[in-house]
Structure formats: C-alpha cells, structure tokens
Amino acid sequence: MPPSSSSAETAAGRVLVVGAGAIGGLIAAKLAEAPGVTVLLAARQPIERFTFTPLGGEPAEPDVAVLRDPSELSGPPGPPGLSWVVVATKTYDVGGVGRWLGRPAVAGATVVVAQNGVGHQERLAPFVDPGRVVPALVTYGAGRPGPGRVVHTLDGMVRVPAGTGGEGFAALAAPTSLNVEVVTDFATAQWTKLAYNLVGNSISTITDLPVREIGRRPELRRIGTALVDEARKVAATQLATLPADLAERMLDEFAAYPDTVRSSMWQDRQAGRPLEHDAISGAVVRVARSHNIDAPFSQMATDLLETLSPVRAPASSVPRTAFT
C-alpha cells in the first residue's frame, strides 16, 4: 500500500531514535539519508564516533547527532519539536525510554515502537497516548561490535500497520534505503514475527548455538515445530492466522543462515544483560493461559530462560550478527 499524499506532508522534520544498539543504529543511519530530516540518536553509553557499515559496503559516518541526556532535546519556544520518535530499546527498558518521551519536544511526535513482542501500545501507555503509537516489526539483521559501531548483516524490512501513522512513517523512509512495508493484517504479521523470535531467540540462547543449527538438527526442528504449533493456537485467539507451513518455511530459512548469525537474545546472554523472554515466550504463555490453552514448550522455554537471565556469561569471540 503506497503512502498517501497527506502522510508524505508530515514526514519531514526532526527524528529521535531512542536506543543506540544494532537495530536503533541501523534505523538512525538509514533515516539520515532522507533530505531535510534531522536525525538524533539517544545513547546510554558515550559515543565519540558513530559509524554504520551498510550490507556489503564500507564503514561511513551518517549525519546523525548523538545525545546522552534528555535535557539536550529542545522544543518550543526554541527550535521545532520532534516529528517522529523511534523506540528501539529492549522491551524491559521502559523506564529508560520514559526519560526521553516525557520531554516537551516529544509532545507532538508520532512514536514508532520497533521492539520485539506484542502489546507495544500498552508497554508505552505510561508515557505516550496510545493514539500516537505505531507498532513496528523489524526483520533486519545488524551487529554492534562496539559502542557507536553498527554493521548491517542481513537484509530485511520494517513492517507497520495501515493507517495514518504507519503510512506517514513509510513516507518518511521512502527517500531512504530503509524498507518500510505497510501491512493491512498487522496482527498476523506481529504474531508471525513473534513465532520467529519464539523459536530463533529461545532455542539458540538455551542451546548456545548459531540460529542455523535450529534448522539443521532434527531434534531442534522438532522442538521448533512444537513451539510454532503453540504460537499458532494462541495467535488464533488474537485474530491472527499463522500459515500452516510456517514452521517448515522458518526452519528451512534458518538452516540457510551463515554460521555467524546469532540471535539478539543470545548476544544479551553473552553480554550479561537481562533477557527479553518475558516479551516473547512469556507473552505466548500468558495469552495461552488466559484462553485455557496448553503451551508446555513455551512454558519450558520461559522457565529455562528465566533461570539463565541473571547469569553473566563470559563474552564470546564469535562475531556478533544480530537475528532480532
């Protein structure tokens, strides 16, 4: 669905990307290609130099201004407020996001939430009117070898729901290399992405294996298929219809990945960060329970990941290629 002309008129302006990780850095770098758009990147760690390496390309420094503190944002009566905010943090970092969303400069901005899981509007409800929130599904792969260094590793897209907000974001990205697709059946797209994360993130993190091994090992394919079957039953209660062959297609896709592709949750475990299992397998379990559906594989994944989450594992020497 092409963006409407009225959406295009709202696309220009100032954009804040909250979260300077792999996906946030990728989105900021690509949006910086848009003429007449100022891109600001909110970072937790000091970044002396922000570089982005496009897929198959060489490192470059995008025209992105890095901010460390919300007080650096300005708005009326000073420079214009923000037109767009993209939230690209981990799902559990709501408090950190709130520091930025509460600033006057953000008051009129449309907020695109590029996070895993479901319930994007509910997650940000303490800070943003749900009517200004646009949930987004990101399938790009990216790595962050160090603070301020982002590498694009797998091609993908950003999917947003049909409507003024989604079409406006597609218009913002239209002059850039950021591929944004407006989706009519967003519920199905959202639960399909959740199924990918349920299998790819959960199994790779528990087994400490590259994502491709999930598709190559028969025993892991069986577990992956069982997880997708549970996700399909739960998704149906949310008016989402997952394809009957989703598990087979997903696992074949994983099997074709390079052995350097590791899931974002695996990377979090290696870095000693909290895991996002509550927003992925935990979400499946909660909805299943509310509809009296058995989801033993999702429950087991949640329990195992909860056990692993506080454990600080040693850093790995494997190059970090994020599967989100």
Side-chain angles (χ1 to χ4, degrees):
M1 179 184 298
S4 65
S5 57
S6 60
S7 298
E9 292 173 359
T10 66
R14 302 172 74 219
V15 181
L16 172 68
V17 178
V18 182
I23 296 303
L26 179 145
I27 292 174
K30 287 180 174 291
L31 288 180
E33 300 167 4
V37 173
T38 300
V39 178
L40 311 173
L41 180 61
R44 177 178 294 170
Q45 295 178 291
I47 295 177
E48 295 182 3
R49 181 181 174 212
F50 176 59
T51 64
F52 175 69
T53 304
L55 195 63
E58 296 296 324
E61 294 187 40
D63 187 12
V64 172
V66 178
L67 307 182
R68 288 289 315 286
D69 192 273
S71 63
E72 298 177 72
L73 288 175
S74 55
L82 296 163
S83 301
W84 296 89
V85 175
V86 179
V87 175
T89 64
K90 297 296 182 180
T91 54
Y92 50 74
D93 193 17
V94 174
V97 173
R99 296 191 314 126
W100 295 89
L101 297 182
R103 304 297 298 184
V106 182
T110 301
V111 180
V112 178
V113 185
Q115 292 181 326
N116 285 325
V118 293
H120 295 66
Q121 287 99 334
E122 293 82 355
R123 200 175 298 136
L124 293 189
F127 312 106
V128 182
D129 178 355
R132 292 198 289 124
V133 173
V134 178
L137 311 175
V138 181
T139 64
Y140 282 106
R144 190 175 70 97
R149 296 166 55 203
V150 174
V151 180
H152 182 187
T153 56
L154 290 174
D155 208 2
M157 66 177 61
V158 179
R159 291 188 172 95
V160 293
T164 302
E167 292 173 21
F169 189 66
L172 173 69
T176 77
S177 61
L178 185 67
N179 183 14
V180 177
E181 179 183 50
V182 179
V183 179
T184 302
D185 186 0
F186 190 74
T188 293
Q190 193 169 41
W191 279 88
T192 299
K193 173 71 188 303
L194 184 62
Y196 267 80
N197 282 333
L198 177 64
V199 176
N201 274 290
S202 301
I203 296 178
S204 69
T205 304
I206 292 168
T207 61
D208 193 19
L209 289 170
V211 175
R212 77 172 186 177
E213 294 302 315
I214 303 171
R216 294 187 174 200
R217 302 193 183 200
E219 64 277 14
L220 296 184
R221 286 186 71 102
R222 288 194 292 271
I223 296 171
T225 299
L227 286 168
V228 173
D229 286 344
E230 290 180 359
R232 180 183 295 105
K233 293 175 184 176
V234 173
T237 69
Q238 307 300 300
L239 304 180
T241 304
L242 301 190
D245 64 344
L246 177 60
E248 183 177 5
R249 288 194 290 108
M250 176 195 303
L251 294 167
D252 288 346
E253 183 180 332
F254 287 171
Y257 279 4
D259 63 0
T260 55
V261 175
R262 298 277 189 159
S263 72
S264 59
M265 191 184 292
W266 179 90
Q267 293 184 39
D268 289 338
R269 184 187 174 193
Q270 299 306 301
R273 293 187 291 262
L275 306 182
E276 283 192 293
H277 58 287
D278 185 67
I280 300 174
S281 58
V284 175
V285 169
R286 284 191 295 276
V287 179
R289 187 179 297 125
S290 69
H291 291 273
N292 296 316
I293 296 172
D294 290 330
F297 283 86
S298 299
Q299 181 67 67
M300 181 176 291
T302 303
D303 292 341
L304 290 172
L305 291 166
E306 178 65 27
T307 301
L308 292 173
S309 187
V311 176
R312 178 174 290 276
S316 171
S317 60
V318 177
R320 299 189 297 175
T321 301
F323 163 82
T324 59

